[in-house]
Amino acid sequence: MNSGKLVLRRKPDFPVIRPRASDKKQHIPEVGVKSLELCKVIRLLKDPLTANLKERHLFVLKKLLKRSQIGFLLKELTCIAKILNICAEKVTDHPEYVPILCEALQICRLPFLKEKASDELNYAQDVIEFLSHMGCLMRVSHADVRQQTVESVKSFYSCVAPKQLIDGTDHLAKPKPRTFPSGNRFSRLSLRLQPTTPGYRLQLLERSDLAQTLLLSLAALENQPAIKLQLLQTLQILSRSSDMNCALILNARGAETICLHMNEPDPSGQVLFRSSEILWNLLERGSKEVTAQLSSMECVISLKEAFLQQLMNGSRNSDLQLRNDLLVITTLIAESPSSLLIESLFAKQLVVLATFPELKSSNPLVRNLKLAYNNEDLKMKKLLLNLLVLMSKDFAALQLYKEESVMLALLTLAKPPAASSQRRSASLQWSSVQQKELQLQALATICTIAPLMLADYVTHKGSTCLLLLLDRCVAQDAFFGQGDGSHDEGRRGSMKAQMRHCIRVLRSVTSLGEDSVNQDFCDQGTINQFLGILMQMEASPDEEDVLTLEIKSDIQLILSTLCENDMYRKELFGSEVVEMAIHFLKKGCDEFYSGLGHNTLILSTVDCVRSCIVGCYTTEDYFLAKEGACLLLDLLRSSPRCVHCNVLATLLELCDNPNTLSHILSWRDAGGQTAPRFLLQLWRDEEEELKVSRNQDGGIADPQRPIMSQYHQEDSQLSFPANIPSAAVLEVSENLRLKIYSIFCKLGFQDLPGLSRKDYVTLSIVRRYLDFKVGEVWDEIRRELSLDGVRPITPDKEALSTICKVAEDTARRVAAEQSSILEQQQKEDIGEEELMYTEIKSHWKQRELIAKTWDHYVSKTSNYEILKEVKAQREKYQDAAVHPTEHLVGQVTSVERAGAQGPVAVKLILARASIKAAGQDQVGATSQDPEYFSTVSVKD
């Protein structure tokens, strides 16, 4: 009993164990003594003189834990962590310390206690270090310690507070009566202590390395499957709770570790499920890093084994779901360029599964495989088809596809489903709804794989199969006739989704430009078939949606591809294509920004005109007879700027037909604007966009840079390599000026209708565009030679200077011509102003003469002497043979402008008024109506 004597002898050294008198004033000194007492406990455990006193240690530790039954104080956590660490070191030789560790870990489930509100902030780092030490307890090989460690961490995420918490945890709840025995000093201490909030510990846990430590301890649990399962559950909770925990796990290569241990023996059958859940949580928060860790050969093989195990042995719905989850993870790995699916032979097995059950195979993998044809099997089949698309980026995978007849299997899936009477009732098969979904998935897969495996596509008559499917879609679709009630994209009874994918496949195949494939395509009458489908869809009264517009655009692109380089097809199908193109051009671009796809349809229509009509004079003439050129100009007038390049390019190619020019010159928009004037306005808008230097009248402001944009000037100090186009050359293809200049070269630069003086100023620049561009290129060459430090030989240097001088002189002559045009315009404006003043003076003169005539008439009727005088004068001149002289007053009635320029071109039409002198008014006065006094007459 020597040990007992030692305990009694050292007992006064630990006042924390001995109860004291209850005095409220002594609360603060008591709490202050605790830290000192914990230091004594640590000294007892570590001091060489007392390190072997096991019974003494256990007694003191039990008393310490009994005192902390309501939780550990935040200020004590540092000392508690040291004590637990010392006990963990002693467990190996002395298992008696295991209950101490387990009880301490049970107390760790309770919230930490604080004396003041500021303790949470002050002792935050101590909490982080304590949680890290908790994870280090997993190094103890004893199962109970590991289990308690894992369960303690799991309890942190419990939403329900334990019943053992001290009163006051829930501040909103009604206080409960104390249950501590009377006289216990801990009941008095609890009046002053408060628990920390649950979220406080979780926030600090994310800042510790607890998650990493738990993950690394997974390798030491091979012989403890039950604890391993609990640890996986804990890691699942940690990875699900926050991004920071996931980052910590990934930093420790958690995805790789989990994947490598998920196939270990597992009596419960839950390890694989928990592992896949952890991988899912990690993928949701860091997919790139996870796939990088899972792309190693060991991880891919581990995934393969897990997937095949679930594939062959899984029967429950949860097993099938787990199988599909593993396949999704494999899909994400396949997206990585560094995946080793092919090298691990996993890809070959996946390809074999993708062709099952459409193709019979002797592969052992599918020899005894049976599908239930439920929704989980359907998901697996769709995931396998998606994997074919992802793996097709690798050329080695295409070789596997060829060996396993993947194209044949896909075309088999894409065929229309057999009628119910033809389906075999003896064996299970996909339902009609499932077949439709697989059909769409197969068509989407063919769209990607067919261009890569064109030989297999042709061998298995892929175009014929798809055209038959297209016929069925047209025949059974409610969009064209009576529907079959299938559940599909679009409305019920619609097969537009199948039609959309089918046409998308045909577009991807024809876009390759393979003559033999396209010829076989045309020999089956596809052009007429597509034109019929297109016009039937246009005749439908239903509103257009995204699917419909995409189908129309794809059909037009297919027609463009088939007819672009084949004159015979242009001539053979020209009239039908013209009717179709005219129909779509007349729709305009009012809904260009609707968001449904009208913008794509407009561009595909313009491309169809360029590829299927332009180039064949017979078709072009028919297109022009249908006012096609005017419709292109209307489209150019109303479309946004992004469409102008395509429309101008098509119109320019159409100008090779001489009959086009008259249509362009006769075109007028709603405001009466002519085509040349509109093209010149486009030129000005383009130069404003490019920020070309121009004066206030639109003329050349800088003869050294007559057409250079501001962006080109910013690049003028750069030197370009020989294999890269320079800025001056690249600029030609990036804006509309070259196309507008080329159209004017076809129209000519003289006698253009409807141009103003401003247009003539712009036209003078357009006429010299090519000269300016040549000079700009030579100037750029000279500048780059200077930047590169290259000095041309004297003749070349003189030639460069002469060429640049000629270009500058040309720009100055054009500027002088523009000034002349503006001066002529100013003179005409002055002449018109003078003419206006002359007309105004004529009006006032006429009004004065009319007033004078009126006064004379009134004087005759009011003064008898004047009347006698007038009568005498009339009698005097009655016998005169000479006709009285008439005074004429001219009035300008209209002004016309002839074709010539200047005042000579002005033609005036005057109205003549005859006014007689006062002395001659007596002639004919007696025959005049007394009420009529006006002497103005209008003559031609």
Side-chain angles (χ1 to χ4, degrees), residues 259 263 296-306 344 346:
C259 184
N263 289 321
S296 64
M297 180 65 72
E298 294 80 6
C299 289
V300 173
I301 293 176
S302 179
L303 276 173
K304 179 180 71 171
E305 293 175 356
S344 63
F346 194 14

Side-chain angles (χ1 to χ4, degrees), residues 104-310:
L105 289 171
Q106 288 180 350
I107 296 175
C108 289
R109 301 183 189 182
L110 303 176
F112 299 135
L113 302 178
K114 60 182 178 179
E115 297 175 321
K116 296 179 292 185
S118 61
D119 285 353
E120 291 188 354
L121 182 61
N122 295 334
Y123 296 104
Q125 186 60 36
D126 294 346
V127 177
I128 294 174
E129 294 177 358
F130 179 80
L131 294 174
S132 300
H133 283 292
M134 275 189 62
C136 293
L137 294 179
M138 291 296 294
R139 73 182 186 275
V140 179
S141 60
H142 201 280
D144 292 340
V145 177
R146 290 176 173 175
Q147 183 175 358
Q148 289 296 333
T149 303
V150 173
E151 290 181 354
S152 296
V153 177
K154 288 172 58 177
S155 68
F156 295 167
Y157 292 88
S158 177
C159 298
V160 180
K163 294 181 180 180
Q164 294 82 1
L165 289 179
I166 61 173
D167 192 23
T169 301
D170 189 357
H171 300 285
L172 299 179
K174 184 178 179 180
K176 298 179 181 179
R178 301 290 186 266
T179 58
F180 299 106
S182 60
N184 193 333
R185 57 191 286 265
F186 302 114
S187 63
R188 297 191 302 273
L189 289 176
S190 65
L191 295 173
R192 303 171 56 259
L193 302 179
Q194 293 294 327
T196 58
T197 59
Y200 170 74
R201 183 165 48 184
L202 296 182
Q203 290 178 357
L204 297 181
L205 186 148
E206 295 176 352
R207 301 177 182 274
S208 68
D209 58 356
L210 178 61
Q212 291 178 332
T213 306
L214 294 178
L215 174 73
L216 295 175
S217 64
L218 187 64
L221 300 177
E222 295 180 0
N223 299 325
Q224 297 173 337
I227 300 177
K228 177 182 177 181
L229 180 59
Q230 292 184 2
L231 178 59
L232 289 174
Q233 292 175 352
T234 305
L235 291 173
Q236 180 183 352
I237 295 173
L238 289 172
S239 61
R240 185 181 58 205
S241 62
S242 70
D243 295 343
M244 294 182 65
N245 286 337
C246 288
L248 292 172
I249 295 175
L250 288 176
N251 289 337
R253 300 196 64 82
E256 182 179 5
T257 303
I258 295 296
C259 184
L260 293 177
H261 288 85
M262 66 183 181
N263 289 321
E264 294 177 353
D266 175 30
S268 66
Q270 291 291 314
V271 171
L272 183 58
F273 171 74
R274 298 295 177 184
S275 300
S276 66
E277 289 295 320
I278 295 172
L279 292 177
W280 265 111
N281 294 335
L282 297 177
L283 284 167
E284 290 178 354
R285 290 172 168 84
S287 59
K288 292 184 179 180
E289 188 173 354
V290 176
T291 53
Q293 294 184 18
L294 297 179
S295 296
S296 64
M297 180 65 72
E298 294 80 6
C299 289
V300 173
I301 293 176
S302 179
L303 276 173
K304 179 180 71 171
E305 293 175 356
F307 172 75
L308 295 180
Q309 177 69 19
Q310 292 298 117

Side-chain angles (χ1 to χ4, degrees), residues 634-650:
D634 290 337
L635 181 62
L636 185 64
R637 181 70 178 84
S638 59
S639 63
R641 187 174 182 272
C642 57
V643 184
H644 291 171
C645 184
N646 299 67
V647 179
L648 278 175
T650 304

Side-chain angles (χ1 to χ4, degrees), residues 45-80:
L45 295 173
K46 295 181 65 176
D47 195 302
L49 298 177
T50 59
N52 296 323
L53 301 179
K54 181 175 62 175
E55 291 80 2
R56 177 66 175 245
H57 296 169
L58 295 176
F59 180 79
V60 172
L61 292 173
K62 289 178 181 178
K63 291 294 184 178
L64 176 63
L65 295 177
K66 184 177 180 181
R67 188 201 68 183
S68 303
Q69 288 299 310
I70 59 176
F72 292 124
L73 277 169
L74 290 175
K75 61 189 298 184
E76 297 179 344
L77 290 180
T78 301
C79 295
I80 295 294

Side-chain angles (χ1 to χ4, degrees), residues 41 90 248 303 346 358 373 381 390 537 653 669 704 733-734 736-737 752-753 862 869 881 906:
V41 173
K90 294 179 177 293
L248 292 172
L303 276 173
F346 194 14
E358 287 74 32
Y373 296 96
K381 185 69 175 179
L390 296 175
M537 295 176 75
E653 293 186 26
D669 64 359
Q704 294 181 348
S733 60
E734 292 180 345
L736 309 178
R737 293 192 291 181
L752 297 174
S862 59
E869 183 180 355
V906 180

